[in-house]
Structures are given as structure tokens and as C-alpha cells.
Amino acid sequence: MGGAFLAAAVLARVGGRIGLPTIPLFILAGILLGPHTPGIVLVADPHDLEMLSALGLVLLLFYLGLEFHLDDLKEGGRKMALAGGAYLALNVGAGLGFGFALGWGTSEALVLAGVLGISSSAIVTKVLVDLGRIGNPETKPILGIIVVEDVFLALYLAALQPILSGADGLGAAVMDGGKAFGFLLLLALVARFGTKVVSRLIDTKDDELLVISFLGAAVFVAGVSEWFGVADAIGAFMVGLMLGSTTSGARILKLVHPLRDAFGAIFFFAFGLSINPGDLPSVVWPVLAAVAVTVAMNVCAGLAAAKVYAFGPKATANISTTLLARGEFALILATMAAGAGLDERLSPFIAGYVLVLAVLAPLAAGRSHVLARLLPGGRDKEYGALPG
């Protein structure tokens, strides 16, 4: 553990001197010091960090929920649904088409639809924090799209599981989807109508007790969420949504920062541990083609979201590049595909695709002004002062 933290810190410090974001450097530390790379091996089995990695994802999404106020959800629900629906239609649709074009099989195409279609909530959150864009106008639609994606994710996994397992249980799939949706609805109702009760339960002047309380609530609900077929991170997001509206919300936001940063680093380090660089050359061309498709679809989705919210080129570029990353959900699908005995090329393809976008997305988001100038209206006078 100590070596993992120190390795991530050293690489991040070195990269920071030349302007690189921390996310790809944390991942690189995991690759270099993992079991698949010659030399020093800090962690021989990536599963050794599985619980800590899960905690990192939970805290990243919990923080995201704290920042996403219920008023924003109530005021922009229709626009959020339109923007999120457009994003999913473009990216999941393109992923399904790409999967069939590869010719690896129908089940493989359904997996690839999810891999290419869903952004990484963890990386998107980290990018927004690192670039100081939490308060930007376009951040609300970005977070809204993530929420729509994650609701879709819960239903998608419930529907995909019986297909990959070969089960003929359509009824079971519908039941699983209904169970997941019902639990999400329950959490949403508590967040909407139970704020006063939650505020009384969580309120304390003692910072130690407050940390233990919100951390316990986030992790407990995350675990229960998995039991109901909802991604653990979404359960943590909903807890953040509840607590962010309480009288303790501002204090929780401040207290969770060091926890989020520390365990978030472990999440990305553990992600790097799972990647075997030796498997990547065999799928390099499909990976590059998939990256090109994803970039194109994200620009189209950014334009669609900008039209819904009446944004200009700068905000459009920020939406397109911030949502570019793929991560934890793709890795879950890779594990499911391997367990179902699907095409053996899927796992290295997903690892390579996620790695490229995990590196590319933070870099692109930090230089989104370049894309802004290429978009319609991007060369108007109001964008003449853009950096670079």
C-alpha cells in the first residue's frame, strides 16, 4: 500500500512539472509496478487492492453527488434527459454498430455497445476537479449525462447478464431491471423528500463523528445498491445527493476531500495493475478505430447537448472532451465477457481502448480550447482570448 501511494505520488509530481494530468500517471504507475511488467512488482495480485479500489470509486461518486444539488435536478430534469438520451443513442448505437462491423459475434457486439457507450464516472469527476470546472455552467449537463448513463447502466447490466450466461430468462432479466429501478426510485424519493430527517440524523458538531457517519452511510448504501443490481458508485452518488442538501453539506464537502484524493489515486493505480501491455499489440488497429469512433460521437453528443442548453463552442468542447474517458464500467464488462467464454480478443481490446482514452481524455479536456476553435462559431471574436 505504501509503495503504491508513493509510486503514484512520485510519477504525478514528475508529470506535473511538464503539465501532465494525474490520472494517466496513476494508471502508468500501476502498469509499471504490476504483475504484467518486468522489474519491481509491488502488487502481484490486483485483487489485493480490490476493496480499496472500490472505496476510491465510491468516494469519487459520493463527492460528485455532494456537488450535484437537487435544485439543479428539479430545474433541468427534462434537458438532462434529452442530453443524456442523445449521448447514449449516439455512443451506444455507434458501439453496437462497431461491434457488428468487427464480426466477433452478437454477444460480443452487445458488450462493445456498453464499452464504447458509457463514460467513466470516476475519470470525469477527477477531470472536473483537477481542472477547476465544478462551478462551470456546462458542468451541470455533464453531471446530468453521467446520471442518465448510470441509470441506463443498471438496466443494461441486468438485461445483459442472462444473455451472456446463455439463460433464456427474459422474465428474470425484467425482474432484475425492475428491482434495480425500484431501488433507484427509493433513493431518489429519500433524496427529494427526506432531507430534513437525514439532516437531523447526520448533524453533529464533532468532525470525527461526522466523517465516520457520512463514510459509513456512503459505503453501506453502495454495498446495498450492488445487492439490488445497481452499481455501487450510483448508490454512493445518491447518498452524496442527499447529504449535500443538509445543513452539514458544506462541512462534508470539505472533510471528504483528502479521502477522495487518496483512495481515488488507489482506484486508478489498481486499474493500471489489471492491464497487461503484452496483450495490446494484437488489437491495436481495432482499438485505434474504436477511439476514433468514440471521439467523433462525443463531439456530436457535445453539439447535441449544447443545442439543448444553448451553449457556445467553448462549453461544447468542454462537454465533448470531459465525457470522452472510458473506465470502470468497461472493465466490469471485460470481466463478464471473460467469464462467459466470449471471444478472447475482447479483454485485450477493452484494456487497450480504456487505457488510450484514460490517457487521452484528461489531456484533451485540458486543451479543449483547440476543439472549440474548430467548432461552428469557434473563431468569433469572443473566443479570440482563449489560451494557446
Side-chain angles (χ1 to χ4, degrees):
M1 270 295 300
F5 274 119
L6 289 173
V10 169
L11 273 178
R13 281 173 176 267
V14 172
R17 292 182 181 276
I18 55 176
L20 292 177
T22 58
I23 294 170
L25 294 169
F26 292 153
I27 295 172
L28 179 62
I31 294 173
L32 294 177
L33 299 172
H36 306 298
T37 306
I40 299 172
V41 177
L42 277 182
V43 184
D45 186 356
H47 292 293
D48 289 346
L49 293 182
E50 190 171 12
M51 181 60 71
L52 294 171
S53 173
L55 184 58
L57 180 59
V58 163
L59 288 171
L60 282 166
L61 269 292
F62 174 70
Y63 178 84
L64 190 66
L66 289 170
E67 289 283 1
F68 195 90
H69 299 295
L70 277 172
D71 290 340
D72 300 332
L73 190 62
K74 287 185 286 185
E75 292 171 7
R78 182 175 175 275
K79 289 182 177 180
M80 183 183 77
L82 286 173
Y87 189 91
L88 286 172
L90 287 166
N91 284 274
V92 175
L96 185 63
F98 181 82
F100 281 121
L102 283 179
W104 291 354
T106 300
S107 294
E108 287 78 1
L110 290 171
V111 170
L112 289 172
V115 170
L116 271 66
I118 307 294
S119 305
S120 167
S121 301
I123 297 179
V124 168
T125 306
K126 191 72 165 58
V127 167
L128 290 172
V129 172
D130 287 352
L131 296 178
R133 291 181 181 170
I134 289 292
N136 284 16
E138 71 275 6
T139 296
K140 291 178 183 177
I142 289 172
L143 300 185
I145 289 171
I146 288 177
V147 171
V148 172
E149 281 186 320
D150 289 335
V151 172
F152 171 80
L153 181 156
L155 302 175
Y156 182 79
L157 281 179
L160 189 62
Q161 183 62 51
I163 296 174
L164 294 185
S165 63
D168 54 354
L170 177 60
V174 172
M175 184 176 294
D176 287 344
K179 186 170 67 172
F181 181 77
F183 184 69
L184 281 171
L185 183 60
L186 175 63
L187 292 178
L189 289 173
V190 174
R192 174 66 180 87
F193 299 108
T195 304
K196 290 183 179 180
V197 175
V198 173
S199 186
R200 290 195 199 99
L201 290 173
I202 201 77
D203 187 42
T204 175
K205 294 180 179 179
D206 189 317
D207 284 351
E208 180 184 12
L209 291 178
L210 184 59
V211 169
I212 294 170
S213 298
F214 75 68
L215 186 60
V219 176
F220 179 76
V221 175
V224 174
S225 298
E226 281 201 332
W227 190 45
F228 279 94
V230 176
D232 52 3
I234 306 312
F237 174 88
M238 297 302 293
V239 175
L241 197 65
M242 295 174 203
L243 299 186
S245 301
T246 66
T247 53
S248 303
R251 286 173 60 209
I252 294 172
L253 194 64
K254 181 179 179 181
L255 290 169
V256 78
H257 270 196
L259 292 169
R260 179 207 69 195
D261 291 341
F263 289 99
I266 291 297
F267 171 81
F268 296 112
F269 181 86
F271 173 39
L273 291 175
S274 67
I275 295 175
N276 185 350
D279 291 338
L280 304 182
S282 63
V283 290
V284 63
W285 293 115
V287 165
L288 293 178
V291 168
V293 169
T294 303
V295 170
M297 289 301 102
N298 268 258
V299 172
C300 293
L303 288 168
K307 187 171 183 180
V308 171
Y309 286 89
F311 285 146
K314 185 177 180 181
T316 304
N318 286 347
I319 293 172
S320 300
T321 53
T322 303
L323 288 167
L324 188 58
R326 301 295 185 264
E328 60 280 0
F329 178 55
L331 298 179
I332 290 170
L333 284 174
T335 303
M336 290 174 63
L342 301 187
D343 195 299
E344 61 183 15
R345 291 170 290 185
L346 265 181
S347 291
F349 168 84
I350 293 172
Y353 171 74
V354 169
L355 178 61
V356 170
L357 286 180
V359 173
L360 177 64
L363 294 172
R367 293 159 179 78
S368 59
H369 57 274
V370 176
L371 174 61
R373 286 182 174 148
L374 300 175
L375 296 174
R379 293 187 179 274
D380 291 350
K381 290 182 180 180
E382 60 179 307
Y383 293 97
L386 284 170

